[in-house]
Amino acid sequence: MDRQRRAVVKGLAATSFTALTACGGSGSNSSPSTGDSDPGVVSGDSAMVPRVAFNHGVASGDPLSDRVILWTRVTPTDALPRTVESVPVQVTVARDRDMREPVGQINTSTGPDRDFCVKVDVTGLRPDTWYYYQFSVGSAKSVVGRTRTFPDTRMPAERARFAVVSCSNHAYGLFSVYKAVSEQADLDFILHLGDYIYEYGPGEYGDFPGRDPLPAHEIIELSDYRQRHAQYKTDAKLQAVHQQFPMICIWDDHESANDSYRDGAENHDEATEGGWSERRAAAVQAYFEWLPIREIGTERGRVWRKFQFGKLIDLFMLDTRLEGRDMQVSSPADPGRFDDQRRIMSEEQMSWLTRGLSDSTATWRMIGQQVMFAELNIVRTLDAARTLGMEDTSAFNGQLLSLNMDQWDGYVADRENILQTLAGESIGNTVIFTGDIHTSWANEVYADSGNLLENSLTAPLAAEFVTPSVTSPGFPEEIAGVAEAAVQLANPHMKYVELKSPGFILVDVTMARTQAEFLYVQSISSVDSLGAINPEMTKVVGVDSGSSRIYEDRARSEPRAVRTALFHPPVRQVVS
Ligand SMILES: [Fe+2]
């Protein structure tokens, strides 16, 4: 901070405190405070401040042009947590990573009613600006986190750069992908498309040594979901991602239970596990406590929301899981797939989305959502696999079926609704980002992907990039190669398919193009190569502005590394 600006901050603090306020979240209140005060001392009777540890890192999320959510969790250490009713917490926001140039402080509190999580929506921030933040309780301080606000929605933005991740099963392997993401030189934010946690008990889905799930059974009740979130948040690699970048997240199924929908889940048995509505409410509550996501009004449980990155991107985040989804049909032959009364989201959410797409004037319309949008023709794919020499297609068929009816292929009417909006109103530059299936896909989305002849003559309506998993398994090694070839042979709109490797997508957006760079880690089992990328596997795809035809194999984008190093350097890692 230059001298002149320091003087302005002091001046503000000495009179009235207007730089920062907090709203929503966890009982926050704005509290005048000077930039010179000791951020480690909480005002009031310090004897009332319990000793705490910050065992779960810090996080930020849902950046807008003037605000961002800041998050941490405090762990009372000198008393049983249930005997502590309230913990006063102070948040300091600064422009530098050494916290020498504070722009404001906020007093808030937390307690057992929110599992000692702290969530503050800090407002009054400058657009397109990086900040650093730190929580304190008495003399205990958290690590410093780094975050940013988005550019002003009325201003052009030249470039955005973000990582897309999903499916981070702690029990399945090491968070090598998270380490690689945290070490990226230059990202504006992280898009987490769900399966941030998994609900299973030990050995049910992953048995990596030393990473058995806690509690040691399938999570069903509120205390279970809280404990599982807490376990994930003790992973240093996940902490590192949150510490460096703001996250925009949505849940998929495993934050509640496998293949969940509005009124139930494949992995929920009301006879033995109680009512779905209670379990769903517990999962939602724990998610909103433990993730840096904004609560919209009084409507706890709404994760569908919109972000604007200057005039460059309108980003629509969807809930195709818990909000309005009807139960999945059991097979592609079930005519219910085409039933125009069946929904993957509520009519309210659908009309919000289609109206938002119609009204958007940004260069790019982006959709972050859970399950694959593009049509996958299973019958043709199995035929192609046989043609390519796969003698026994039963394992392949099982894989395809297990994912297919949970996707938009199982909710054809809702997909049609979106496609008709794009086609009918000539809406271009639409890019969909998807998670869920632990595999990588770059798809051109057509009005009718089954019509191969039409697709050679007409232009695609959108592009879809499906991100690989952080750890969860893709297709078995022995069938992945032939399966990739068969999918592409039978589904020519699928331009890139990789079915077995963990990694993430690095997305680089300019006015001219959106480029998706699929990056894969060398290993999720070796501590020696944690975070190491396998450069031979990197795949570059993208779309140019004005066309949704996917291009391949251009040069990788360059990070704005010098700008980052000079103006908002990464926070120093205290983790290995
Ligand atoms: Fe998953």
Side-chain angles (χ1 to χ4, degrees):
M1 181 192 285
D2 57 51
R3 282 167 192 268
Q4 193 177 2
R5 169 140 174 72
R6 185 185 297 275
V8 170
V9 170
K10 279 185 180 175
L12 273 177
T15 53
S16 66
F17 186 84
T18 56
L20 295 180
T21 55
C23 61
S26 46
S28 315
N29 57 71
S30 59
S31 175
S33 170
T34 73
D36 294 332
S37 67
D38 177 356
V41 177
V42 178
S43 59
D45 183 355
S46 61
M48 299 299 291
V49 178
R51 258 195 289 273
V52 304
F54 292 92
N55 296 336
H56 302 97
V58 297
S60 69
D62 281 14
L64 304 182
S65 61
D66 68 341
R67 67 192 62 194
V68 67
I69 299 280
L70 303 181
W71 179 96
T72 193
R73 200 261 184 172
V74 300
T75 305
T77 57
D78 58 357
L80 288 174
R82 65 175 176 272
T83 67
V84 178
E85 289 183 357
S86 180
V87 179
V89 182
Q90 194 166 52
V91 193
T92 304
V93 178
R95 291 299 308 276
D96 69 310
R97 64 177 172 177
D98 296 321
M99 306 301 290
R100 292 202 194 100
E101 301 166 16
V103 296
Q105 291 171 330
I106 292 165
N107 289 331
T108 184
S109 64
T110 187
D113 59 322
R114 51 184 65 99
D115 202 19
F116 294 96
C117 293
V118 181
K119 198 155 78 171
V120 181
D121 199 355
V122 181
T123 62
L125 299 172
R126 293 182 174 185
D128 203 12
T129 303
W130 288 83
Y131 291 96
Y132 299 82
Y133 60 95
Q134 185 173 35
F135 296 86
S136 58
V137 175
S139 59
K141 291 184 182 179
S142 74
V143 294
V144 173
R146 179 181 63 162
T147 192
R148 67 160 295 160
T149 52
F150 275 5
D152 190 302
T153 56
R154 296 155 301 183
M155 301 294 285
E158 279 179 18
R159 197 168 164 198
R161 197 169 158 86
F162 56 94
V164 186
V165 291
S166 75
C167 300
S168 37
N169 182 349
H170 185 267
Y172 216 89
L174 302 172
F175 283 167
S176 185
V177 170
Y178 278 151
K179 185 163 195 284
V181 169
S182 75
E183 291 172 349
Q184 292 300 304
D186 171 35
L187 298 176
D188 292 303
F189 60 99
I190 310 293
L191 209 55
H192 200 302
L193 297 178
D195 292 355
Y196 184 97
I197 61 165
Y198 280 72
E199 83 275 20
Y200 296 107
E204 291 177 358
Y205 194 46
D207 54 2
F208 196 86
R211 292 173 79 85
D212 271 353
L214 294 173
H217 55 77
E218 184 181 330
I219 52 176
I220 294 170
E221 299 180 356
L222 177 59
S223 58
D224 301 336
Y225 282 100
R226 283 172 163 174
Q227 191 179 354
R228 189 63 57 85
H229 275 285
Q231 180 190 25
Y232 275 60
K233 279 277 196 334
T234 57
D235 186 286
K237 312 300 177 284
L238 173 57
Q239 286 187 9
V241 172
H242 281 302
Q243 201 183 346
Q244 297 290 2
F245 306 109
M247 181 178 280
I248 295 173
C249 59
I250 43 175
W251 55 51
D252 194 12
D253 50 339
H254 292 287
E255 285 88 347
S256 51
N258 184 51
D259 283 358
S260 51
Y261 53 99
R262 186 189 55 224
D263 300 324
E266 180 274 332
N267 189 26
H268 181 73
D269 181 354
E270 294 229 335
T272 59
E273 296 175 322
W276 171 249
S277 59
E278 289 79 21
R279 183 175 185 178
R280 176 190 143 130
V284 167
Q285 180 173 338
Y287 187 85
F288 272 83
E289 287 170 349
W290 281 85
L291 272 294
I293 181 173
R294 182 171 290 111
E295 292 177 28
I296 301 173
T298 56
E299 202 181 338
R300 171 166 270 177
R302 177 173 161 176
V303 300
W304 48 283
R305 61 208 192 280
K306 178 185 168 188
F307 297 87
Q308 293 175 273
F309 193 94
K311 290 165 74 172
L312 187 63
I313 301 170
D314 281 351
L315 171 63
F316 300 88
M317 302 298 290
L318 307 187
D319 181 357
T320 65
R321 275 290 166 207
L322 297 182
E323 184 257 359
R325 177 193 279 253
D326 289 313
M327 188 179 180
Q328 297 85 346
V329 297
S330 55
S331 92
D334 190 325
R337 284 177 62 194
F338 302 97
D339 181 349
D340 63 8
Q341 298 302 306
R342 286 181 67 252
R343 296 273 165 268
I344 199 169
M345 62 176 79
S346 73
E347 289 184 45
E348 181 191 6
Q349 186 183 171
M350 178 60 82
S351 60
W352 164 83
L353 174 63
T354 52
R355 207 177 326 115
L357 291 169
S358 301
D359 293 345
S360 168
T361 57
T363 305
W364 298 96
R365 276 142 297 289
M366 296 188 171
I367 298 173
Q369 54 98 46
Q370 291 83 6
V371 289
M372 192 153 78
F373 189 84
E375 182 175 344
L376 173 66
N377 189 310
I378 292 186
V379 174
R380 268 200 329 245
T381 303
L382 290 171
D383 283 346
R386 284 184 211 103
T387 304
L388 292 167
M390 188 186 286
E391 289 175 8
D392 180 1
T393 56
S394 55
F396 188 24
N397 190 26
Q399 290 277 335
L400 293 175
L401 284 178
S402 70
L403 58 88
N404 199 242
M405 290 304 96
D406 189 48
Q407 301 181 348
W408 289 80
D409 274 340
Y411 301 84
V412 171
D414 271 351
R415 180 167 59 194
E416 288 291 308
N417 197 346
I418 294 171
L419 291 174
Q420 282 170 13
T421 301
L422 296 178
E425 302 184 34
S426 301
I427 299 169
N429 287 8
T430 304
V431 181
I432 301 167
F433 294 100
T434 302
D436 184 56
I437 49 176
H438 318 162
T439 45
S440 305
W441 312 63
N443 305 323
E444 292 174 352
V445 179
Y446 289 88
D448 178 7
S449 292
N451 187 336
L452 304 184
L453 181 62
E454 183 206 41
N455 293 341
S456 64
L457 303 173
T458 61
L461 297 172
E464 177 181 37
F465 302 117
V466 183
T467 191
S469 71
V470 173
T471 58
S472 298
F475 280 51
E477 182 86 35
E478 54 280 12
I479 65 169
V482 178
E484 288 163 9
V487 166
Q488 287 198 258
L489 188 60
N491 302 273
H493 57 292
M494 294 174 158
K495 301 299 180 186
Y496 168 64
V497 182
E498 207 287 341
L499 294 177
K500 65 177 190 301
S501 304
F504 65 101
I505 309 177
L506 192 155
V507 182
D508 193 280
V509 186
T510 67
M511 302 274 279
R513 55 109 180 92
T514 289
Q515 183 154 299
E517 303 174 6
F518 286 78
L519 302 172
Y520 300 94
V521 293
Q522 289 180 6
S523 169
I524 59 166
S525 58
S526 164
V527 289
D528 298 328
S529 59
L530 273 179
I533 299 287
N534 179 353
E536 289 172 11
M537 286 192 68
T538 298
K539 177 71 178 182
V540 174
V541 295
V543 285
D544 286 315
S545 179
S547 167
S548 291
R549 286 202 192 280
I550 289 172
Y551 66 71
E552 296 183 61
D553 302 329
R554 287 191 194 161
R556 284 202 58 195
S557 60
E558 292 290 332
R560 300 157 292 189
V562 172
R563 191 191 75 157
T564 299
L566 286 177
F567 298 114
H568 46 269
V571 284
R572 296 180 186 89
Q573 296 289 298
V574 294
V575 297
S576 58

